[in-house]
Amino acid sequence: MGWNRADRVTLIRKAIVFVSLIICVLLAVSAGFVLGIAVIYTHLFYLPILLTGIWFPKRAVYVALALGAIHLIVTYLSVIPLSVNEFARVLIFLLVAYVVGLVSERARVEQQRRKQTEATLLESEERFRELFNNMSSGVAIYEAMNQGEDFIFKDMNKAGERIEGITKDALLGKRVTEVFPGVKDFGLFAVFQRVFQTGRPEQHPLALYRDERIVGWRENYVYKLPSGELVAVYDDVTQRKQAEDALRESEARLRFTLENASVGIGTADRDGHFQRLNKAYLDLLGYSVDELRTMTFTDITHPEDRAKSQRYFQELLAGTEHVEFENRFVRKDGSVRDVVIRAGFFPYSNERPHYIVNVVEDITERKKGEEKLKNIVEGSSIPTFVITETHTISHWNAALEALTGISKSELIGSDKQWTAFYPEKRPVLADLIADGAPERDVKALYGDTCKKSPLIDGAYEAEDFFPTLGAAGKWLFFTAAPLKDAKGTIYGALETLQDITERKKAEEELRKYHAHLEELVEARTAELERSNAELQQFAYVASHDLQEPLRMISSYLQLLERRYKGRLDADADDFIFYAVDGAKRMQALINDLLAFSRVQTRGKHFEPTDAERVLGLTLKNLQTAIGESEAEITHDPLPTVLADEVQLAQLFQNLISNAIKFRGDEPPRIHVAVEKEQNEWIFSISDNGIGIEPQYAEKIFGIFQRLHNARDYPGTGIGLAICKRIVERHGGRIWVDSELGKGTTFYFSIPIKEEGASTDE
């Protein structure tokens, strides 16, 4: 068992009193019986009486009675006579014990009261400090300097530290104008001075405080303590102020939106009396606000629609959150407008509707359009159906009944259009269009066969096979287009269908026929290629083999001419000349025939070729002919092309040689030009020669085709055929533009291709 300090002190005090009592008893016995003296020991009796009275006030009288009894007993039994004085001494014991005990008890009670008061004060101070530090509002205590010239910080709670972004230790003892330099402009310093002078509390209204350190909206309440100190209780309401500003801005924006909405928006009480209406609502009805406030919803409703509108109104009163229905309004001028009404009670107060909010959209033009659409759809021979924005079927014509075998009475008013085409529920194309689905969603469902319609904006068309239609299924081509009102809002979709089963069968037959035809063409092409190769080989071999006997004939004829020219008669000389000339022309013809056959067999791979450099080499080769004819040849800057350099040079040489050969009376003027078109270079070689009649523009490119006799214009008639073959090998084309007597322009094209691409044919 533990002993605390108070317990130990009490025990020691009890021991001291007990020991003093024992000593007093012993002294009384010894002094009274031995010495017969009472005065000596009775004085010692006051010690335990005083100690008991001081330490144990309530027991002091008992100790005094005990000691008085002992004294009387000892006196009675001793030689000392028992007198009145002895009883008086006992009374004195009792009186001393009572007085000391009373004084001591009062002192103890006073001490306890004082301790209790101190504890209460300490608890109150701690409670105040706890409250002070845990207030959500900032609290700062100030002491005035020089009768209010400035104010010094004495204390600040934690909320104040958080709001001001500073610690209490950093500002204690500092002047308020030092810590918050904007306090005077803020207006709070003047409030401090007035409260200090008058002692009356004052509210500083919401205002924006700003200095280099902090910016924020503050509310302050200032009062004066009895000690003369000032207390400021304040709140940072920046977020609240921002929220209020945002709310006001939002309300203004909402009010502007409602007032300028394209649809009518209004409110009415539970009895249907109008309260607030926007401009679109007023324009729709033709009444003023004051006129409508004297009317009810029923007053503007067409008589035939009033029962229906009342039914929906009762549904709202019964707890339905919102309703939507079509209705007819009667305008002030008596005209009727078709509308869609979306209404609901808002807000709810104690679960009772407060007022009606209704949004009204004028659909008069749409209804007229729907009526026209109905007449068109019902009378159309094309299978057609129409759905609303809620995917409900509104039209299903007779042609579609015949196609699907489903009557309109089974489907109109439902959203089961899929049952006519698919075994399981899924969107049809019109469903996607009515929802305004993006292109990726449409194609994800219908694949690559689906594409945007080139005729109708926002429409899609597709084709698919439907195995559930008919006995063996059917191929359908279908188009779905959105239905839009005057504002461009989609309110439904129309889908037309076309049975293309027979066309698909025909396409399949045609595909098979094309495949067979391609096989025949491939076989014929291969046969022609073999024949062409054999012909080329034959022409080469024949030309090559003819070279040797021809050289022999030519050599002997030339020898005969040298030896016997002038020795025989004139006819013999002519015969020899004709024979030699024929052999030379035969040699030229064989050489040209070899060149023609080698265009395909001896051609080089195409490489980037500088056409201007090739033209320069060609002109050097023709330098003698150019000089003799006094020809003037010019050219544009020529590009680099992908070509066979040797064949390109031969092409230039043949065309320029022809321009020099077929010249008129004036010296030749030849110009080489080039133009870049989309995917090819167009070269042209123009001259001022004798020209060609237009009817021969194609003939001249044939092999052995000549327009003039060999005496006037020597040649074999193969040059332009070689040109055509070279151009065609390069993947180009060649043609002529000429007029007799006015010169000629030959054109040829070379495709623009990257290096490595092949144009060999």
Side-chain angles (χ1 to χ4, degrees):
M1 181 176 179
W3 291 79
N4 56 32
R5 183 175 180 277
D7 292 338
R8 290 196 297 271
V9 170
T10 301
L11 182 61
I12 292 172
R13 288 176 177 176
K14 287 180 179 180
I16 293 172
V17 171
F18 181 73
V19 170
S20 65
L21 285 173
I22 297 300
I23 293 173
C24 287
V25 170
L26 292 175
L27 285 174
V29 172
S30 61
F33 288 103
V34 177
L35 301 176
I37 303 172
V39 178
I40 295 176
Y41 69 79
T42 55
H43 289 171
L44 294 176
F45 279 12
Y46 288 109
L47 178 61
I49 291 173
L50 291 174
L51 292 175
T52 303
I54 294 172
W55 289 341
F56 309 103
K58 294 181 180 180
R59 299 177 183 177
V61 174
Y62 299 108
V63 172
L65 283 174
L67 290 175
I70 292 172
H71 172 65
L72 291 176
I73 293 170
V74 171
T75 302
Y76 177 74
L77 297 176
S78 67
V79 295
I80 305 171
L82 187 62
S83 64
V84 176
N85 290 336
E86 303 309 324
F87 286 99
R89 191 171 284 116
V90 171
L91 290 175
I92 292 172
F93 288 165
L94 292 173
L95 181 60
V96 170
Y98 174 76
V99 172
V100 172
L102 181 62
V103 172
S104 179
E105 179 65 20
R106 287 185 176 179
R108 186 185 65 80
V109 170
E110 180 64 25
Q111 184 179 11
Q112 288 181 346
R113 188 185 64 78
R114 187 171 61 250
K115 287 183 178 180
Q116 186 176 2
T117 302
E118 291 175 354
T120 302
L121 288 173
L122 180 61
E123 182 181 356
S124 177
E125 183 178 352
E126 290 177 353
R127 189 180 300 114
F128 168 76
R129 178 57 59 181
E130 191 71 17
L131 177 65
F132 179 77
N133 283 327
N134 290 281
M135 287 180 65
S136 61
S137 299
V139 180
I141 301 175
Y142 305 91
E143 181 181 355
M145 291 177 58
N146 300 326
Q147 295 300 313
E149 290 184 2
D150 209 335
F151 299 87
I152 297 176
F153 278 99
K154 298 293 290 182
D155 203 353
M156 175 179 279
N157 69 349
K158 292 180 180 179
E161 292 179 315
R162 174 179 52 79
I163 292 172
E164 306 300 351
I166 193 171
T167 63
K168 178 172 66 175
D169 295 337
L171 55 78
L172 291 181
K174 293 185 178 179
R175 292 178 290 107
V176 68
T177 53
E178 177 184 355
V179 179
F180 297 103
V183 68
K184 291 186 177 181
D185 295 334
F186 181 52
L188 184 61
F189 191 81
V191 173
F192 282 177
Q193 291 180 322
R194 286 196 299 271
V195 172
F196 178 75
Q197 295 295 334
T198 64
R200 289 192 298 271
E202 190 170 330
Q203 177 93 23
H204 183 247
L206 177 66
L208 179 66
Y209 177 82
R210 184 191 303 272
D211 64 25
E212 294 180 355
R213 186 174 61 85
I214 57 173
V215 177
W217 290 88
R218 303 283 191 271
E219 277 183 331
N220 283 266
Y221 180 75
V222 183
Y223 62 92
K224 186 177 182 182
L225 296 176
S227 63
E229 295 173 320
L230 294 185
V231 177
V233 181
Y234 58 95
D235 288 290
D236 181 3
V237 294
T238 303
Q239 292 184 348
R240 190 188 78 190
K241 184 69 167 58
Q242 291 173 345
E244 290 174 351
D245 291 343
L247 180 60
R248 280 193 294 271
E249 182 180 352
S250 177
E251 289 176 347
R253 189 161 50 244
L254 178 60
R255 190 178 300 108
F256 177 82
T257 301
L258 292 178
E259 288 298 326
N260 294 278
S262 59
V263 296
I265 302 174
T267 61
D269 60 21
R270 291 171 55 86
D271 297 325
H273 290 92
F274 290 107
Q275 294 176 334
R276 297 188 62 181
L277 300 166
N278 71 345
K279 184 177 183 299
Y281 214 127
L282 298 175
D283 292 343
L284 174 63
L285 296 175
Y287 289 100
S288 67
V289 175
D290 294 336
E291 288 174 327
L292 283 172
R293 282 177 178 167
T294 65
M295 304 170 68
T296 66
F297 193 81
T298 304
D299 294 335
I300 63 170
T301 301
H302 191 281
E304 296 178 2
D305 291 345
R306 287 176 182 174
K308 177 178 63 176
S309 63
Q310 283 295 325
R311 186 171 65 255
Y312 282 108
F313 186 76
Q314 293 301 320
E315 288 183 13
L316 288 176
L317 291 176
T320 303
E321 290 187 3
H322 64 273
V323 295
E324 179 176 338
F325 60 97
E326 291 187 5
N327 200 28
R328 285 175 293 174
F329 280 167
V330 180
R331 288 171 47 86
K332 184 178 180 179
D333 60 9
S335 61
V336 178
R337 305 297 292 182
D338 289 286
V339 295
V340 169
I341 299 173
R342 301 173 182 88
F345 275 116
F346 179 87
Y348 284 73
S349 176
N350 298 324
E351 299 184 355
R352 286 175 55 82
H354 186 54
Y355 59 90
I356 305 171
V357 176
N358 61 95
V359 179
V360 177
E361 181 181 359
D362 187 351
I363 60 168
T364 305
E365 298 304 319
R366 194 180 88 185
K367 294 291 285 187
K368 292 179 181 178
E370 289 176 353
E371 186 63 29
K372 292 180 182 178
L373 179 64
K374 178 182 177 181
N375 295 333
I376 294 172
V377 170
E378 295 298 332
S380 174
S381 61
I382 300 173
T384 307
F385 69 93
V386 178
I387 63 172
T388 66
E389 66 268 28
T390 59
H391 304 278
T392 302
I393 301 173
S394 60
H395 301 86
W396 189 275
N397 71 356
L400 189 55
E401 288 180 323
L403 176 67
T404 61
I406 301 176
S407 67
K408 62 182 179 181
S409 61
E410 297 179 49
L411 292 179
I412 287 182
S414 74
D415 60 353
K416 296 181 179 180
Q417 50 270 24
W418 61 271
T419 59
F421 309 103
Y422 303 104
E424 297 179 354
K425 185 174 182 179
R426 56 157 285 177
V428 300
L429 186 58
D431 290 321
L432 299 175
I433 301 304
D435 288 338
E439 183 176 0
R440 64 175 181 275
D441 292 348
V442 178
K443 290 195 172 183
L445 198 60
Y446 284 96
D448 294 335
T449 64
C450 184
K451 60 183 180 180
K452 288 185 176 181
S453 171
L455 303 176
I456 306 172
D457 183 34
Y460 284 85
E461 57 187 34
E463 61 182 45
D464 201 358
F465 180 72
F466 297 87
T468 60
L469 290 179
K474 293 182 179 181
W475 277 94
L476 298 181
F477 175 81
F478 43 100
T479 303
L483 298 177
K484 299 180 180 180
D485 58 21
K487 300 173 184 175
T489 304
I490 296 176
Y491 65 88
L494 177 145
E495 185 167 337
T496 62
L497 304 101
Q498 180 182 356
D499 186 350
I500 59 170
T501 306
E502 295 303 320
R503 192 191 80 185
K504 279 292 184 179
K505 290 180 181 179
E507 287 177 354
E508 180 62 21
E509 293 297 325
L510 186 60
R511 187 191 63 79
K512 291 179 180 179
Y513 176 75
H514 281 168
H516 178 63
L517 186 61
E518 286 178 0
E519 292 176 359
L520 293 177
V521 170
E522 288 178 1
R524 181 61 177 163
T525 300
E527 183 180 348
L528 288 174
E529 287 177 350
R530 287 194 301 272
S531 176
N532 190 39
E534 291 172 357
L535 284 174
Q536 289 181 0
Q537 183 65 23
F538 172 78
Y540 174 74
V541 171
S543 302
H544 185 273
D545 291 346
L546 287 174
Q547 292 277 14
E548 186 59 30
L550 185 61
R551 275 196 296 270
M552 184 178 294
I553 292 172
S554 178
S555 296
Y556 279 107
L557 285 174
Q558 290 175 3
L559 180 62
L560 183 64
E561 182 183 28
R562 284 195 300 273
R563 287 186 178 183
Y564 295 104
K565 185 178 182 180
R567 296 183 182 184
L568 302 176
D569 57 14
D571 290 338
D573 289 342
D574 289 339
F575 296 154
I576 293 173
F577 172 78
Y578 292 142
V580 171
D581 182 63
K584 289 180 179 179
R585 286 191 289 109
M586 186 64 181
Q587 182 72 43
L589 184 63
I590 291 172
N591 288 335
D592 286 348
L593 186 61
L594 274 174
F596 181 79
S597 67
R598 287 172 178 173
V599 170
Q600 294 289 355
T601 59
R602 298 292 180 90
K604 297 181 180 179
H605 288 295
F606 297 161
E607 296 177 348
T609 302
D610 185 351
E612 190 160 338
R613 184 180 66 82
V614 172
L615 178 63
L617 295 175
T618 301
L619 296 180
K620 286 184 180 179
N621 294 337
L622 296 173
Q623 189 171 1
T624 300
I626 293 172
E628 292 176 351
S629 63
E630 299 180 355
E632 180 182 335
I633 301 176
T634 58
H635 65 87
D636 293 343
L638 302 183
T640 297
V641 296
L642 197 65
D644 180 336
E645 181 176 338
V646 174
Q647 290 186 351
L648 184 62
Q650 188 175 4
L651 179 61
F652 278 136
Q653 184 165 320
N654 285 1
L655 293 175
I656 294 174
S657 295
N658 277 358
I660 294 174
K661 182 193 299 184
F662 297 100
R663 63 182 180 270
D665 297 335
E666 297 181 0
R669 299 290 182 265
I670 303 168
H671 181 70
V672 181
V674 66
E675 289 185 4
K676 184 178 182 181
E677 294 194 355
Q678 291 183 347
N679 298 312
E680 58 184 3
W681 292 104
I682 304 296
F683 289 84
S684 63
I685 299 177
S686 304
D687 63 49
N688 61 342
I690 61 176
I692 303 170
E693 293 185 60
Q695 63 264 33
Y696 300 120
E698 294 292 335
K699 179 182 177 181
I700 59 174
F701 294 106
I703 190 169
F704 302 129
Q705 297 296 322
R706 300 177 52 86
L707 302 181
H708 308 279
N709 60 56
R711 290 189 302 273
D712 296 331
Y713 297 100
T716 61
I718 299 179
L720 289 179
I722 292 174
C723 290
K724 182 179 180 182
R725 194 152 197 175
I726 290 173
V727 172
E728 289 177 345
R729 179 176 178 250
H730 284 73
R733 51 202 169 88
I734 187 169
W735 67 98
V736 66
D737 182 15
S738 180
E739 188 176 347
L740 191 63
K742 295 185 179 181
T744 301
T745 301
F746 280 92
Y747 297 92
F748 66 89
S749 65
I750 295 181
I752 299 174
K753 294 183 177 291
E754 297 181 358
E755 184 177 358
S758 176
T759 58
D760 292 4
E761 297 196 8

